[in-house]
Amino acid sequence: MHDRVVITGIGLVTALGNNVTENLHNLTNAVSGIKQMKFLVSEQKQFPVGEVKLSNQEMCEILDLPYDCHISRTSLLGILALKEALKDSGLLDTKGLGLISGTTVAGMDITEQHYPEPLPPNKPPVHDCCSNTNFIADYFGLFDYTSTISTACSSALNSLILAKMLIENGVKYKVVAGGTEALSKFHLNGFRSLMILDENPCRPFDKTRSGLNLGEGAAYLVLESESSAKERGAKILGVLSGTGNACDAFHQTATSLSGEGAFLAMNKAITSAGITPKDVDYISAHGTGTPDNDSSESAAILRLFGDDYPPISSTKSLTGHTTSASGSIEAAFCLLAINNYFIPQNVGYSAPDENCIVPFVGENTEDLKLNNVMCNAFGFGGNDSSIIISRYE
Amino acid sequence: MLLDLEAMIHQLLSHDMNRVFVTAIVDSVSEEEIKNLISPVKSRRFGFLQKRALAIAIKALEDGKVDKPDMILNGTFMGCIDNSLKILENMHSEGESVSMPTAFMQSTHNTISSLIAIYTNNHAYNATYSHGDISFECALQDAFLHLKSGLATSALVCKNDEITSFMQQNPDFFGTITPKDISEAWVLTTNPNITPIFEIQDVVISHKKGYDSAKILKIKL
């Protein structure tokens, strides 16, 4: 009935690299970007982080912005990624686009530098989520619709889900969606307070896993209807064929043992894509490396897919947990996997856990062809989302 | 030209789709009602805004005669900002060794929509929009499109923000922007048998440099 919603551009900035090419290179070679902090000013140096390897000043120079500490790192990362996505899709001169961005901590890096002094009244607002989304949008001047989703670690994935909704209902033709989040003291110490940070490199699904490494980054995907993409001769990278959003409704930060929310979200995504679990060729897991998340995500996957589940990996041991941006960063990785015929490795895994799935750590075979890929992102509050990206043919 | 075309296609697509009714709007709740609507035992660790938001949501669901909505949405400018400010203050006065798990958890903007889901044991679609003073309209548009296209039959859409005493004393703390102190909940349904307050024809959101606007097009019944 509907025109399919296709993806025609990717922009990526993570600890693995400042663009798609660098990310692809380090993703295929499984080279982790998690290191000791360099740009974040914090006493908590014992925690390794997935930092983007650019200072704010370097990003301002790249973007031709005056270096001025009132542009949040979240906005700078977002502009870098959005610029690449627009360029990749051939839309750098197209007006009337929509932007949906996921973020939570937003401009907290700037607010915490000033506190207890107020933010300067003569500068553009920077603290709240919306100010960051609109600052990113207005750098380009192409957007006549902007929105911000803030569902913690599933924010960017929910942005993709809303984009599909807007396109299918004819509200917008072309929507750029994703998320951005930068490291801040607030964020790092918040996760430290919850006692879910690991001082060693994280090990998703491993028996010895003991927490996550925080990361940062941004990714945006250009989404449009298939007819719009064909009409303008855009290259089509994949189809956003299914989406699912559900709530675990269990606890603000802990996950239910059975992973009810995760199960419901994955099941909705598969059903709405019109496929069955057997048709899923790869799962990009949320896989944060915390004891709770990985066992409940595993329980939900086993319930839905049985023991015969497809290859699964978490890329968070490469990028760190990029929180609000993780959904679109990992959806971008899924598109790279489909188009470059590989499955990302679950780095850091060695000891099987009876409560977890066994993730993909093997060699990629030459005849690998991924037709349907699932990408999960689960947030605090049990805001669980899942999407299916399919090969375009 | 492009906009006209988009509007036309939207109208064509809208034909034969579901009608979306608002059956309850609740924007205030007394202390007494809060005590009656939510268990004091369960809510002892909730912040001020969380309590008010939850009570108003429950009251709206009762008024709107929807037991378990297919969607729970919240629009918030700054979330439970009291918690964020507490963390900033403690990091400033005591340094980074301070541990505040509850405040951090409740500072995350989606804490209210999650709380409503947890409290009412509802696994449905759940999302939070944080887009300045049109956060509620962004959430409402998401619900409207789901109901109109038949993907959901009912929705709870809330708006929640607080002005803390710190913000009253420092009204310019965040620069030129300030949220309003508000809790409000709307119940939407496609069921024509529940007496509606009005029908939603469309929710239109637009952006110009440095400025967002939103319109809720209503049909009086």
Side-chain angles (χ1 to χ4, degrees):
Chain A
M1 180 180 80
H2 284 304
D3 225 3
R4 293 189 290 181
V5 173
V6 298
I7 298 150
T8 58
I10 308 175
L12 254 176
V13 184
T14 75
L16 294 184
N18 305 332
N19 52 50
V20 170
T21 309
E22 289 175 15
N23 271 276
L24 177 61
H25 180 264
N26 287 326
L27 189 63
T28 47
N29 292 301
V31 179
S32 173
I34 299 169
K35 306 250 164 18
Q36 199 185 20
M37 63 186 73
K38 187 177 169 192
F39 302 112
L40 178 66
V41 181
S42 164
E43 295 162 10
Q44 311 288 358
K45 300 245 182 279
Q46 70 276 28
F47 297 115
V49 288
E51 259 181 341
V52 169
K53 309 293 182 279
L54 288 169
S55 68
N56 288 10
Q57 187 163 359
E58 285 168 322
M59 285 193 271
C60 285
E61 280 161 17
I62 293 169
L63 296 170
D64 210 12
L65 282 165
Y67 176 60
D68 145 339
C69 60
H70 290 282
I71 304 172
S72 74
R73 191 167 168 86
T74 295
S75 286
L76 291 170
L77 295 171
I79 295 171
L80 270 183
L82 183 52
K83 194 171 187 178
E84 189 185 24
L86 291 169
K87 201 172 160 193
D88 189 34
S89 184
L91 292 176
L92 265 174
D93 298 313
T94 307
K95 295 208 172 199
L97 305 174
L99 175 67
I100 307 166
S101 189
T103 193
T104 302
V105 188
M108 191 59 94
D109 57 334
I110 304 293
T111 310
E112 72 186 16
Q113 279 168 27
H114 281 267
Y115 193 89
E117 294 304 316
L119 292 165
N122 55 342
K123 301 276 184 184
V126 71
H127 172 82
D128 66 302
C129 300
C130 174
S131 296
N132 283 265
T133 301
N134 285 348
F135 187 86
I136 295 166
D138 292 345
Y139 176 84
F140 300 93
L142 304 173
F143 297 93
D144 65 4
Y145 176 107
T146 60
S147 183
T148 311
I149 293 189
S150 195
T151 54
C153 302
S154 56
S155 302
L157 206 66
N158 281 326
S159 295
L160 302 178
I161 294 176
L162 177 71
K164 185 171 189 275
M165 193 72 182
L166 294 181
I167 294 164
E168 284 180 344
N169 283 280
V171 178
K172 294 301 294 174
Y173 281 146
K174 299 181 188 75
V175 180
V176 193
T180 178
E181 197 89 284
L183 288 165
S184 61
K185 272 198 302 191
F186 182 97
H187 205 187
L188 186 78
N189 285 296
F191 276 87
R192 185 186 53 77
S193 293
L194 295 171
M195 295 189 289
I196 51 174
L197 290 182
D198 195 332
E199 293 185 8
N200 295 303
C202 70
R203 300 167 301 287
F205 300 108
D206 192 89
K207 195 173 180 64
T208 68
R209 71 188 182 282
S210 63
L212 59 87
N213 305 136
L214 210 54
E216 65 179 356
Y220 291 100
L221 306 181
V222 177
L223 297 103
E224 58 191 298
S225 67
E226 186 180 3
S227 55
S228 152
K230 276 184 168 170
E231 202 176 283
R232 65 186 191 93
K235 67 172 188 310
I236 297 177
L237 302 167
V239 182
L240 180 52
S241 52
T243 63
N245 165 319
C247 189
D248 203 35
F250 175 72
H251 187 271
Q252 289 289 359
T253 54
T255 44
S256 64
L257 281 178
S258 64
E260 185 66 17
F263 171 81
L264 292 170
M266 290 190 286
N267 198 28
K268 277 189 199 176
I270 285 175
T271 310
S272 75
I275 60 173
T276 67
K278 281 200 301 292
D279 302 317
V280 176
D281 303 315
Y282 164 61
I283 302 172
S284 169
H286 186 58
T288 58
T290 64
D292 269 15
N293 174 81
D294 295 3
S295 58
S296 86
E297 186 172 11
S298 293
I301 288 172
L302 287 167
R303 187 171 152 203
L304 187 58
F305 292 87
D307 290 331
D308 197 19
Y309 50 83
I312 301 167
S313 66
S314 161
T315 52
K316 290 193 172 66
S317 41
L318 298 171
T319 59
H321 187 359
T322 56
T323 57
S324 288
S326 66
S328 55
I329 286 173
E330 290 158 26
F333 289 172
C334 289
L335 286 161
L336 295 179
I338 290 172
N339 289 295
N340 295 279
Y341 302 90
F342 74 101
I343 290 174
Q345 298 273 331
N346 192 102
V347 170
Y349 180 84
S350 60
D353 179 348
E354 60 196 16
N355 297 317
C356 286
I357 55 89
V358 176
F360 179 78
V361 285
E363 293 289 313
N364 278 295
T365 52
E366 295 229 337
D367 59 345
L368 178 82
K369 188 182 175 198
L370 303 171
N371 289 315
N372 298 295
V373 166
M374 169 178 273
C375 181
N376 289 342
F378 308 147
F380 281 173
N383 273 165
D384 297 341
S385 289
S386 179
I387 60 170
I388 302 285
I389 299 176
S390 303
R391 173 180 296 281
Y392 179 75
E393 38 199 17
Chain B
M1 184 61 202
L2 189 66
L3 277 175
D4 289 349
L5 196 61
E6 281 189 24
M8 210 169 75
I9 289 175
H10 195 182
Q11 212 166 24
L12 282 173
L13 284 170
S14 312
H15 191 66
D16 281 342
M17 286 189 150
N18 293 303
R19 294 171 68 184
V20 180
F21 305 103
V22 174
T23 56
I25 296 179
V26 175
D27 61 4
S28 69
V29 70
S30 67
E31 284 295 322
E32 193 60 33
E33 280 176 306
I34 295 180
K35 274 183 208 146
N36 293 334
L37 289 165
I38 53 181
S39 143
V41 180
K42 283 190 188 169
S43 65
R44 72 186 192 283
R45 293 179 79 182
F46 299 172
F48 161 76
L49 183 59
Q50 286 183 307
K51 267 188 213 171
R52 186 176 73 185
L54 180 61
I56 281 183
I58 294 171
K59 194 176 166 188
L61 290 173
E62 283 179 9
D63 286 4
K65 299 185 177 56
V66 170
D67 186 28
K68 276 212 168 170
D70 293 340
M71 305 180 80
I72 295 175
L73 296 145
N74 188 34
T76 180
F77 200 138
M78 292 196 184
C80 296
I81 188 73
D82 191 33
N83 293 283
S84 309
L85 289 166
K86 265 184 204 155
I87 295 172
L88 285 168
E89 175 54 31
N90 284 14
M91 280 207 311
H92 171 71
S93 57
E94 293 172 43
E96 282 185 68
S97 57
V98 68
S99 185
M100 305 185 73
T102 306
F104 181 62
M105 197 168 83
Q106 295 182 357
S107 76
T108 310
H109 289 20
N110 61 338
T111 196
I112 289 174
S113 61
S114 306
L115 178 70
I116 298 168
I118 293 166
Y119 199 88
T120 60
N121 192 26
N122 189 330
H123 293 288
Y125 185 108
N126 191 298
T128 300
Y129 286 81
S130 185
H131 199 63
D133 46 22
I134 65 159
S135 301
F136 173 75
E137 287 84 352
C138 290
L140 191 69
Q141 186 186 45
D142 190 4
F144 173 75
L145 294 174
H146 271 85
L147 267 66
K148 194 154 187 67
S149 60
L151 291 170
T153 60
S154 59
L156 172 73
V157 188
C158 310
K159 71 171 130 180
N160 285 289
D161 272 294
E162 62 184 334
I163 301 286
T164 68
S165 54
F166 173 87
M167 288 159 84
Q168 278 168 352
Q169 288 153 22
N170 303 273
D172 302 323
F173 182 76
F174 294 111
T176 51
I177 49 167
T178 331
K180 289 190 179 84
D181 191 70
I182 195 163
S183 286
E184 191 170 313
W186 290 25
V187 173
L188 274 56
T189 176
T190 52
N191 182 353
N193 299 322
I194 306 170
T195 314
I197 303 172
F198 54 85
E199 182 179 347
I200 300 179
Q201 188 184 24
D202 205 354
V203 182
V204 183
I205 287 167
S206 61
H207 174 79
K208 284 189 184 132
K209 194 163 182 151
Y211 166 80
D212 294 303
S213 63
K215 262 188 296 192
I216 303 168
L217 305 179
K218 300 170 190 172
I219 303 172
K220 280 185 191 162
L221 297 163

